[in-house]
Amino acid sequence: MEDKIKKQQIIDAAVEVIKEKGVEDATVREIAHRAGLTTGAIYYHYKNKDELFYDVINQSVHFSHKISVMNESTIKNKDELLSEIKKEIGIRLSKIGEQKLYILLLSDVISKNGEMKEKYKTNYESIIKNVADLYYFAFGVENEELKKVIAAILLAAVDGIAI
């Protein structure tokens, strides 16, 4: 449990440092200082700065991350699903200051070829699949392609509004 708390401290500190200094000028040393931890503590949880920023994207601003980890036992009907989506979209869109952060981090990840770009792409595809599966649980939609299209449209629309 303590590891989870420390990771959240690190992510929160990273958000603040990136907001103030930008993606390129944010350092692990500054993030550690802001979190009240050592740089070693950061590297205990993250291999490098890019890996930390990947988690910042997922936990701080990606509303779909929370929705996508739900399963059949947590959402039983369409009203509960729609309520949860509405709540999470409201939280995401209320983070006005973090929308710029999301764009900066995402463009940084996309501009680089390599492991983090592929990891983000794979994760986003997984989120779309998981959100698509919720349509089966809540609405009985069985067509795989239709579920994925609806999920992708929802995620893209929310990201577009946020941007």
Side-chain angles (χ1 to χ4, degrees):
M1 184 64 143
E2 189 173 314
D3 275 353
K4 197 172 188 178
I5 293 169
K6 279 191 180 170
K7 275 187 100 168
Q8 194 58 53
Q9 273 180 271
I10 294 166
I11 290 169
D12 294 343
V15 167
E16 293 305 314
V17 171
I18 296 166
K19 279 184 186 175
E20 288 176 19
K21 299 191 174 210
V23 175
E24 292 301 319
D25 293 333
T27 65
V28 172
R29 183 181 311 274
E30 177 68 25
I31 293 167
H33 176 74
R34 188 70 56 95
L37 301 169
T38 65
T39 55
I42 304 283
Y43 287 117
Y44 173 78
H45 294 285
Y46 296 100
K47 184 169 65 174
N48 55 41
K49 189 168 86 168
D50 287 339
E51 205 173 85
L52 168 57
F53 289 176
Y54 173 84
D55 263 5
V56 170
I57 290 172
N58 278 330
Q59 288 189 347
S60 266
V61 287
H62 239 311
F63 89 95
S64 55
H65 179 74
K66 290 180 185 174
I67 292 174
S68 71
V69 296
M70 296 174 190
N71 60 38
E72 188 174 5
S73 65
T74 56
I75 293 186
K76 301 211 182 300
N77 64 53
K78 67 180 177 183
D79 293 331
E80 290 172 340
L81 174 61
L82 292 173
S83 177
E84 188 64 28
I85 289 172
K86 181 181 175 183
K87 176 184 151 210
E88 292 301 330
I89 289 173
I91 291 168
R92 163 77 194 279
L93 295 178
S94 71
K95 295 180 178 183
I96 296 168
E98 292 184 19
Q99 301 313 319
K100 180 180 176 185
L101 171 71
Y102 174 69
I103 296 166
L104 290 172
L105 287 172
L106 189 57
S107 64
D108 185 61
V109 168
I110 291 171
S111 70
K112 298 175 182 175
N113 286 324
E115 180 185 334
M116 293 314 296
K117 181 177 180 177
E118 285 304 310
K119 186 176 178 179
Y120 185 81
K121 180 182 172 191
T122 300
N123 183 56
Y124 201 76
E125 289 169 353
S126 175
I127 289 170
I128 288 173
K129 183 199 176 306
N130 291 340
V131 171
D133 287 343
L134 293 175
Y135 288 107
Y136 171 75
F137 298 135
F139 303 105
V141 177
E142 294 182 17
N143 182 304
E144 290 298 318
E145 278 304 305
L146 180 60
K147 289 188 311 188
K148 285 182 182 178
V149 168
I150 294 169
I153 290 170
L154 171 65
L155 297 177
V158 173
D159 286 344
I161 291 167
I163 291 169

